[in-house]
Amino acid sequence: MSTTTVETSAAVSEAGPAPAPGRIQRRGDKSLAGSLASHGLLVLASLIALFPIVWLVFLSLGPDTDDYLHPGGIWKKMTLDNYAFVLQHTEFFSWLKSSLIVSLGTTVIGVLIAATTGYAVSRMRFPGYRKFMWVLLVTQMFPVAVLMVPMYQMLSDLQLIDSYLGLVLVYCTTAVPYCAWLLKGYFDTIPFEIDEAGRVDGLTPFGTFARLILPLAKPGLAVAAFYSFLTAFGEVAFASTFMLSDTKYTFAVGLQSFVSEHDAQRNLMAATAVLIAIPVSVFFYLVQKNLVTGLTAGGTKG
């Protein structure tokens, strides 16, 4: 052992053990203040988002029509009478049946058409395929007031006025263009080699689409289904124009029955709105596993 090594070791022993290195902050790590600030903003945003829902539920517990003017008095007289009245003395279950038929019909037909359209444009290079997608986008630029009269005339000629099928077809004209663009972007992220493998195994183009591509596109299909369902469930203008029978009103149109020329029964409207949110919440729960993935997956191709 050299003299230099002995002297260095002795110097280290006399100086004592080296201090432990502090925590190295890596790129992307947030400080305590930054973490608290971000969490505080998230909590605030959550409260802002939840406040209208909580407020609606609170108003639905007030028995009087003018309780919304004096909400502080609801605490002393909370009741479920509004919900009992809506369920027993209105056409609530007829509205529920109509809304589910129209919404689920729009979801099934709309997603099927949008999926086949998006897949065809994503995989096949037929003449005018780019212009076709832009034509779908242009159809979304027309306001409802412009489309109402020609659609009514077409449904009348087809004898589909006051029918569920007619309203489903009308809602598909709104849901299909957006969902086709959405699913086209999602299909672009699925490797083309999967289609080639399907053809090697003897599958037809439709067989490849149904057996190989659709199972991989569940997140995108979930987003398209959720959008189609909400489009049909909450729409008012078309439903109030094309559905003439009281028993065929959807929820959105049925809510209008609580608004008269001289009085608006806001307590009953609030209770009905809370009940209306239940089917939407159930549908969201069924698709929420794939919803976030589908919303982000179609944004980039890779």
Side-chain angles (χ1 to χ4, degrees), residues 4-29:
T4 304
T5 303
V6 175
E7 292 177 353
T8 303
S9 301
V12 171
S13 301
E14 294 176 358
R23 181 179 181 273
I24 300 175
Q25 186 172 359
R26 299 178 180 178
R27 179 181 298 180
D29 291 349

Side-chain angles (χ1 to χ4, degrees), residues 186-220:
Y186 195 89
F187 289 140
D188 286 343
T189 66
I190 299 177
F192 189 73
E193 287 76 10
I194 295 178
D195 300 68
E196 295 177 345
R199 284 197 291 269
V200 170
D201 291 339
L203 294 176
T204 63
F206 186 80
T208 302
F209 169 70
R211 298 178 62 179
L212 300 180
I213 303 300
L214 283 185
L216 297 175
K218 284 183 179 180

Side-chain angles (χ1 to χ4, degrees), residues 15-67:
R23 181 179 181 273
I24 300 175
Q25 186 172 359
R26 299 178 180 178
R27 179 181 298 180
D29 291 349
K30 293 182 179 180
S31 62
L32 178 60
S35 180
L36 291 176
S38 61
H39 282 76
L41 289 175
L42 290 175
V43 171
L44 179 61
S46 300
L47 292 177
I48 293 174
L50 290 175
F51 176 77
I53 301 174
V54 175
W55 186 251
L56 184 66
V57 174
F58 180 67
L59 291 181
S60 69
L61 299 175
D64 300 326
T65 58
D66 59 348
D67 280 336

Side-chain angles (χ1 to χ4, degrees), residues 8-302:
T8 303
S9 301
V12 171
S13 301
E14 294 176 358
R23 181 179 181 273
I24 300 175
Q25 186 172 359
R26 299 178 180 178
R27 179 181 298 180
D29 291 349
K30 293 182 179 180
S31 62
L32 178 60
S35 180
L36 291 176
S38 61
H39 282 76
L41 289 175
L42 290 175
V43 171
L44 179 61
S46 300
L47 292 177
I48 293 174
L50 290 175
F51 176 77
I53 301 174
V54 175
W55 186 251
L56 184 66
V57 174
F58 180 67
L59 291 181
S60 69
L61 299 175
D64 300 326
T65 58
D66 59 348
D67 280 336
Y68 73 98
L69 298 174
H70 312 284
I74 297 179
W75 293 105
K76 300 179 181 179
K77 51 182 180 181
M78 283 187 178
T79 179
L80 297 176
D81 290 345
N82 293 329
Y83 293 94
F85 181 89
V86 169
L87 294 175
Q88 297 176 5
H89 301 287
T90 69
E91 298 293 335
F92 177 84
F93 292 103
S94 296
W95 302 339
L96 175 62
K97 181 188 73 173
S98 299
S99 296
L100 291 179
I101 291 175
V102 173
S103 301
L104 294 177
T106 303
T107 300
V108 173
I109 297 176
V111 172
L112 177 62
I113 297 174
T116 52
T117 302
Y119 179 74
V121 176
S122 174
R123 292 296 196 265
M124 303 174 186
R125 294 298 176 260
F126 52 89
Y129 74 97
R130 292 184 182 275
K131 295 180 180 179
F132 176 72
M133 293 301 292
W134 285 109
V135 168
L136 289 179
L137 190 62
V138 169
T139 60
Q140 302 296 288
M141 300 180 183
F142 295 97
V144 173
V146 175
L147 299 174
M148 193 76 70
V149 174
M151 281 188 173
Y152 190 94
Q153 184 63 46
M154 287 188 291
L155 292 180
S156 179
D157 294 339
L158 296 172
Q159 298 182 355
L160 292 177
I161 295 294
D162 197 28
S163 69
Y164 294 128
L165 178 59
L167 194 59
V168 167
L169 294 178
V170 169
Y171 288 153
C172 284
T173 62
T174 302
V176 168
Y178 171 79
C179 293
W181 271 94
L182 172 73
L183 292 175
K184 190 264 181 188
Y186 195 89
F187 289 140
D188 286 343
T189 66
I190 299 177
F192 189 73
E193 287 76 10
I194 295 178
D195 300 68
E196 295 177 345
R199 284 197 291 269
V200 170
D201 291 339
L203 294 176
T204 63
F206 186 80
T208 302
F209 169 70
R211 298 178 62 179
L212 300 180
I213 303 300
L214 283 185
L216 297 175
K218 284 183 179 180
L221 294 173
V223 178
F226 189 64
Y227 173 81
S228 301
F229 186 87
L230 288 184
T231 297
F233 199 84
E235 201 277 332
V236 179
F238 288 131
S240 59
T241 302
F242 300 140
M243 305 302 282
L244 307 179
S245 303
D246 295 345
T247 56
K248 292 185 178 181
Y249 283 167
T250 59
F251 273 138
V253 181
L255 273 176
Q256 296 179 351
S257 62
F258 297 121
V259 181
S260 63
E261 182 179 356
H262 304 288
D263 181 31
Q265 298 172 306
R266 302 184 186 277
N267 55 332
L268 299 180
M269 290 179 63
T272 307
V274 174
L275 294 173
I276 289 175
I278 295 177
V280 179
S281 302
V282 172
F283 191 80
F284 174 79
Y285 176 77
L286 295 176
V287 302
Q288 58 90 22
K289 292 182 179 179
N290 298 312
L291 199 57
V292 176
T293 305
L295 284 171
T296 58
T300 57
K301 182 178 179 180

